[in-house]
């Protein structure tokens, strides 16, 4: 896997006809009872989810928050290897950023995964060790889908634009290796449309289409750049079978397939 | 330890006459050779550093970037317990923030430590699960000490103020439980002075006095609120004895003591 990330992602999207990102937010408190006695319950859970969903998954997106423990990191490593075994790239939703030698350390996370999300607040040098990994994807948080996203991101600058548009412009500037994407929530469809016009070539990761109730049509219409981009659902897929006991994974597979169908209505080349 | 974090921190600062934060950035590549064969080299390293420095440490500040592995998290947990055994609070430098159920998961990190650093880019609701932990400290990134800190933080808003000043105002607004601090780099002394005027009651964590060469006088003069605040050095302390082989820890202790003396010159109540 030495080709550029977005090239590999584009090939996978075409092959399985899907822009679905499956969020592996394996909350230990929501894993089915019968798996909780396992050595690594999150890994046991993720393995079954991957078996049931990989045909519809353009990528897997584990959120690092759910793996911040000794057992969690072991589960995450197993999960990444298993996803790769199914030929599915892994985007670690880490939202990291720090400075100097510390952010170089964070960038080592890219040794194991194919792409990562990062936070722009600390500026270019905080992201440089990620950006220089030309074969990996780097998704910069731009306009997030939560209510408080407006607190900073929507502030109007003296230049007239909101902060998040400046972040998009900076990300475009930092995109020397063609490996930069943006995270833009589906809960703000007009902002998605405006950003797509501003940076026509940058693929978006669009979260918020599942449990958060975002706009699937806008996500597809504006999230993709030349057909490449990702629309994520986490809980809406992996916990779709929460009340089904041992057959939870089948419901997750069905939910992933349904989301693919729903999104493909809006894909011009789908 | 049910008292508020800044109350406990203030008591410790008074008891040991020090505002020194010792950054436990236990980079695996810089740990002395003779410890690398240990079961958990980072824990072996940190234990020796704590033994040598705890008399001068108002707090320990491990940066999460160096512990993001299965072994790393075990080392971190041992380190935190050992610091607590020496009666030293622990501030986890994690710079986290996410949304909804994910950020609630990150806030669970506060079960084990006394305070944490967070990133404001995603707004208030992304930090709410941290802010409601009234007995814990929450340091919001405001003006960071790296060159790229200017990229976003110094942008001028339509209202005339730079973004980082708005972040300070927001943090002040979010400070319902008196548990909010700000991270302000020592490499920008004028900004430290201005921010201190703007939010007179909020303690600062000031990094950048050691390896980054920031201004120690400004850090002390403006970093403390009613005598409470932290001035951090990481590499300048823990790797002070990098060329000393097995006696590395003594040099770290001497460096921590020297920094305490240097900072106490400027403490009015020191």
């Amino acid at each position: 896997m030495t080709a550029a990330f977005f090239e590999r992602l584009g090939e996978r999207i075409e092959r399985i006809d899907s822009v679905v990102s499956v969020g592996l937010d394996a909350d230990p408190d929501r894993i089915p009872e019968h798996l909780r006695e396992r050595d690594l319950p999150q890994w046991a859970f993720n393995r079954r989810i991957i078996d049931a969903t990989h045909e519809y998954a353009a990528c897997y997106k584990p959120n690092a928050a759910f793996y911040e423990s000794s057992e969690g990191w072991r589960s995450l490593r197993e999960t990444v290897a298993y996803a790769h075994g199914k030929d599915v790239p892994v985007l670690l939703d880490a939202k990291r950023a720090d400075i100097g030698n510390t952010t170089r350390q964070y960038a080592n996370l890219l040794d194991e995964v194919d792409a990562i999300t990062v936070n722009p607040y600390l500026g270019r040098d905080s992201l440089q060790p990620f950006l220089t990994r030309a074969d990996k994807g780097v998704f910069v948080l731009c306009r997030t889908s939560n209510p408080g996203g407006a607190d900073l991101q929507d502030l109007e600058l003296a230049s007239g634009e909101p902060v998040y548009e400046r972040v998009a412009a900076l990300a475009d500037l930092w995109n020397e290796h063609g490996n930069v994407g943006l995270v833009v929530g589906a809960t703000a469809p007009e902002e998605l449309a405006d950003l797509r016009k501003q940076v026509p070539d940058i693929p978006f990761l669009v979260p918020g289409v599942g449990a958060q109730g975002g706009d699937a049509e806008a996500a597809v219409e504006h999230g993709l750049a030349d057909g490449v981009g990702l629309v994520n659902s986490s809980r809406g897929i992996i916990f779709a079978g929460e009340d089904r006991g041992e057959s939870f994974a089948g419901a997750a597979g069905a939910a992933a397939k349904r989301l693919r169908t729903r999104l493909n209505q809006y894909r011009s080349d789908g």
Side-chain angles (χ1 to χ4, degrees), chain A residues 20-24 49-55 57-62 79 83 86 88-92 232:
Chain A
V20 172
S21 161
V22 176
L24 295 175
I49 293 289
I50 291 172
D51 282 337
T53 60
H54 70 91
E55 289 174 66
C59 87
Y60 286 108
K61 185 180 77 62
T79 299
K86 300 285 188 192
V88 188
V90 177
L91 161 56
L92 182 65
N232 183 76

Side-chain angles (χ1 to χ4, degrees), chain A residues 30-267:
Chain A
R30 292 182 72 176
I31 285 178
E33 292 268 341
H34 70 285
L35 295 179
R36 294 193 194 175
E37 301 304 307
R38 298 287 177 124
D39 180 30
L40 295 173
Q42 294 176 295
W43 155 231
F45 177 75
N46 286 345
R47 181 156 52 87
R48 287 161 178 78
I49 293 289
I50 291 172
D51 282 337
T53 60
H54 70 91
E55 289 174 66
Y56 318 112
C59 87
Y60 286 108
K61 185 180 77 62
N63 190 304
F66 295 99
Y67 302 94
E68 299 229 287
S69 66
S70 176
E71 290 213 333
W73 280 94
R74 283 170 57 210
S75 287
L76 182 57
R77 187 161 284 170
E78 295 293 337
T79 299
V80 171
Y82 197 73
H84 284 165
K86 300 285 188 192
D87 222 22
V88 188
V90 177
L91 161 56
L92 182 65
D93 195 357
K95 301 185 174 72
R96 296 294 194 264
D98 209 299
I99 69 177
N101 66 321
T102 312
T103 210
R104 280 197 296 279
Q105 192 71 30
Y106 275 135
N108 289 342
L109 291 168
L110 282 175
D111 292 344
E112 308 194 33
V113 297
D114 306 278
I116 196 164
T117 59
V118 297
N119 186 310
Y121 189 68
L122 287 84
R124 181 176 189 150
D125 63 332
S126 76
L127 305 183
Q128 197 63 13
F130 299 94
L131 297 168
T132 51
R133 299 289 292 262
D135 58 328
K136 307 285 185 173
V138 184
F139 288 88
V140 179
L141 291 181
C142 180
R143 181 61 176 92
T144 57
S145 53
N146 59 313
D151 289 345
L152 254 79
Q153 299 159 25
D154 287 3
L155 292 176
E156 190 189 348
L157 294 172
S159 54
E161 73 206 314
V163 167
Y164 74 85
E165 281 188 12
R166 181 66 69 93
V167 168
L170 287 169
D172 197 30
L173 196 68
W174 300 339
N175 190 19
E176 291 179 1
H177 300 286
N179 60 343
V180 170
L182 290 178
V183 180
V184 188
T187 44
E190 320 75 40
E191 291 161 352
L192 260 171
D194 289 346
L195 283 168
R196 174 49 64 218
K197 272 182 221 145
Q198 189 191 334
V199 286
D201 300 326
I202 292 189
F204 295 168
L205 162 66
V206 186
V209 164
Q212 298 176 61
D215 184 331
E217 183 172 1
V220 173
E221 189 182 343
H222 308 300
L224 311 185
D226 197 18
V228 179
L230 293 165
V231 180
N232 183 76
S233 173
S234 301
R235 288 166 287 170
I237 293 175
I238 68 173
F239 296 127
E242 204 167 18
D243 55 353
R244 306 270 183 96
E246 298 192 14
S247 57
F248 70 95
K257 189 177 180 181
R258 269 197 311 276
L259 180 57
R260 178 177 72 165
T261 304
R262 189 170 143 219
L263 298 177
N264 280 354
Q265 293 178 65
Y266 309 114
R267 282 174 66 210

